[in-house]
Amino acid sequence: MDTSTDFALPPVTLRIGGQARSVGVGIHEHINPATGQPDALVPLAGAAEVDEAVHAAHRAFTHWRATPAGTRAKALLKLAQLVEEHTEEFAALAIADNGIARASANATVAAAVEWIRYYGGWADKLPLGRITSAVGAGGSFGHTLRQPYGVIGAIITWNAPLMSLAMKVPAALAAGNTVVVKPSELTPFSAMLFADLISEAGIPAGVFNVIPGGAEAGAALVEHPLVKKVTFTGGPETARKITSACAQTFKPVLLELGGKSANLIFADADLEAAAMHSTYMAFGVMSGQACALPTRLLVQESIYDAFVAKVGAIAASFKVGNPQEPDTICGPVINQGAIDRIDSMVKRAQEQGARLVTGGQRLEGDLAGGFYYPPTVLADVNPDSELAQKEVFGPVLAIIRFSDEAEALAIANGTDYGLSGSIWTGDARRAIRLAEALETGEVAVNGAAIAVAERPFGGIGHSGNGNEGGLEGLEEFFWTKSVAYGNG
């Protein structure tokens, strides 16, 4: 299978204080998920390289925080323009990073541009605090200041590297912080072009630093005393380690973790639209490898059998294959480990009574060299089973039957996660009731977009804490100081 592109992969380097470095403590061989073949060597940062990057960011902080807000805004808006102008390159890098299909890759770049532009627009309109009157303060004049932390340590996962950068870096820079980001060694390419464009946008050297690496680099970044806040996207197990390390010095941490989002389909919904949208969101966005996707489909019993059949037919029609081809809906998953995990969960679900509607077997033939797993629909899933409770992070949809609104709500809230939720209904009152009752950080009704820049995005429970997006996402990168002036 030809997965070649006219765009050459950039060399992967450490980016420290504006300088590219190709030497670290080791080398990771990047594997193209579409072919299963190596295509690049990734230098891995160790503790020494992390220390250099943090000190570079620390030195840059004094100048960057004093940079006029209008100048920071101009640079970030320029960055948004540059990312948009390099859409084709970023899409090609996304395909090389993790095999995302081209249509999704293009959409991801567009979304990233909006996130950067949104926070660029906030940079010169920052919420600086409030004033307390002399009377209300017992005779003294007081006010509050919102101040940047300093160096932010950002650790991003492999499934959406450009989006993770766009959801973290612009807000942190708009607030006056500097950033050291550790991208996953599995997906290093997008961060390279992003770093180049950061410099081209006029953002000074040291304000943004990139240190590809594994667990050693992540631990060194989290524990570094000059890193004043950590923002992490990834899984709960790693988040526990990060939280424990940060707790030693009471360092604040922002966690955007996993999800097992429920998608509630009521009989009075637009069923054609609900079926197409629900199926695409489960499989067509990064082959199911995203935290906020609606991977539990809860269907009212009066329409259950017909809806399951419709979803199964749509899923089976999605083209799985070369992510370069424009009609491909689902590309590969990230690696062999993902294939093994996904397949074992599908097999166990069937042993526990789930009914396989479509998919359920690694693809062979022309796709045998890559990591391809087809859209897999399992019906009659027990709400308490592994498949309904654990994040698969792959193209697998669990369908569960419910009788009424109360049962749907109980099933939807019956997991440790609380990131996103979806509702399909023609009853506006029901939508309002359920939107309030769902224990999630975000609710989408009748196909509304999720994880958009202007709204806060974050979860509760095992889905993390804090927010990215909206004004709330900007406020994550300030701390508050209270100042008072007496009469003496």
Side-chain angles (χ1 to χ4, degrees):
M1 178 177 57
D2 181 14
T3 60
S4 62
T5 174
D6 293 334
F7 181 76
L9 293 176
V12 181
T13 58
L14 313 180
R15 306 295 183 91
I16 300 174
Q19 301 297 312
R21 298 258 303 274
S22 58
V23 178
V25 295
I27 295 291
H28 171 78
E29 190 175 58
H30 182 268
I31 303 298
N32 185 328
T35 65
Q37 299 301 310
D39 59 7
L41 297 178
V42 181
L44 300 178
E49 290 77 22
V50 171
D51 183 64
E52 287 183 48
V54 171
H55 274 93
H58 181 66
R59 289 191 297 271
F61 172 59
T62 300
H63 170 70
W64 182 246
R65 74 174 298 186
T67 298
T71 302
R72 292 204 301 266
K74 183 178 180 181
L76 288 168
L77 292 172
K78 177 64 174 178
L79 176 63
Q81 177 188 336
L82 290 169
V83 172
E84 188 169 41
E85 291 172 357
H86 288 76
T87 293
E88 286 301 313
E89 293 96 324
F90 272 116
L93 293 176
I95 294 169
D97 267 329
N98 58 17
I100 185 174
R102 177 163 290 278
S104 291
N106 288 336
T108 297
V109 180
V113 168
E114 290 308 309
W115 278 76
I116 300 167
R117 187 168 286 141
Y118 177 81
Y119 283 114
W122 265 115
D124 58 355
K125 308 172 188 67
L126 299 179
L128 297 178
R130 61 181 183 272
I131 294 174
T132 57
S133 70
V135 174
S140 64
F141 171 76
H143 64 98
T144 58
L145 299 173
R146 308 299 303 280
Q147 299 195 285
Y149 282 95
V151 181
I152 303 296
I155 301 175
I156 63 175
T157 189
W158 53 262
N159 68 313
L162 177 59
M163 273 302 298
S164 288
L165 289 167
M167 294 173 80
K168 297 179 185 299
V169 175
L173 299 190
N177 301 280
T178 56
V179 176
V180 177
V181 63
K182 190 199 83 62
S184 170
E185 70 276 20
L186 300 178
T187 52
F189 301 120
S190 296
M192 297 297 101
L193 179 55
F194 194 82
D196 290 341
L197 299 185
I198 283 267
S199 177
E200 189 175 340
I203 295 171
V207 171
F208 178 74
N209 306 270
V210 185
I211 47 168
E216 179 186 352
L221 182 61
V222 167
E223 295 169 7
H224 201 290
L226 291 179
V227 171
K228 300 304 181 182
K229 184 167 185 174
V230 173
T231 173
F232 169 71
T233 298
E237 290 305 315
T238 302
R240 289 187 181 95
K241 296 176 182 178
I242 290 172
T243 302
S244 178
C246 289
Q248 304 309 306
T249 55
F250 307 103
K251 185 179 300 183
V253 59
L254 167 60
L255 302 173
E256 200 277 281
L257 308 180
K260 196 67 184 178
S261 301
N263 184 9
L264 283 56
I265 313 294
F266 289 88
D268 60 359
D270 180 338
L271 299 181
E272 292 294 328
M276 180 57 73
H277 185 271
S278 300
T279 310
Y280 182 81
M281 289 298 292
F283 304 118
V285 180
M286 293 182 278
S287 298
Q289 299 173 111
C291 55
L293 300 181
T295 55
R296 286 186 299 155
L297 185 61
L298 280 53
V299 183
Q300 197 161 25
E301 59 185 1
S302 62
I303 58 168
Y304 182 84
D305 292 334
F307 200 82
V308 168
K310 189 182 296 292
V311 167
I314 295 171
S317 74
F318 286 170
K319 178 183 174 181
V320 183
N322 185 348
Q324 296 284 358
E325 296 175 358
D327 58 341
T328 294
I329 302 297
C330 301
V333 296
I334 186 65
N335 56 24
Q336 182 63 45
I339 287 279
D340 295 341
R341 183 191 68 251
I342 293 164
D343 195 58
S344 64
M345 292 186 72
V346 169
K347 298 298 188 288
R348 284 195 298 272
Q350 293 177 80
E351 292 169 0
Q352 295 167 5
R355 171 168 57 92
L356 182 65
V357 177
T358 188
Q361 191 73 38
R362 180 179 183 168
L363 296 178
E364 299 294 341
D366 292 342
L367 302 178
F371 308 119
Y372 291 93
Y373 206 88
T376 297
V377 177
L378 291 151
D380 308 335
V381 174
N382 186 318
D384 298 321
S385 67
E386 177 192 47
L387 192 68
Q389 293 292 320
K390 303 295 184 183
E391 191 174 37
V392 179
F393 226 66
V396 179
L397 180 62
I399 307 185
I400 303 168
R401 184 192 308 261
F402 71 84
S403 58
D404 56 22
E405 189 177 313
E407 185 180 18
L409 183 62
I411 294 171
N413 287 342
T415 76
D416 292 330
Y417 295 100
L419 187 56
S420 290
S422 299
I423 304 164
W424 286 84
T425 180
D427 184 339
R429 290 181 179 274
R430 171 185 285 146
I432 292 169
R433 285 195 303 273
L434 288 173
E436 184 172 345
L438 285 172
E439 296 172 358
T440 61
E442 177 181 55
V443 179
V445 178
N446 292 339
I450 61 174
V452 296
E454 66 268 19
R455 296 199 308 265
F457 175 75
I460 58 174
H462 286 195
S463 293
N465 59 62
N467 287 282
E468 295 175 327
L471 179 58
E472 291 84 351
L474 182 65
E475 290 177 333
E476 291 285 352
F477 295 105
F478 289 114
W479 59 280
T480 301
K481 176 186 290 183
S482 178
V483 181
Y485 303 88
N487 297 320

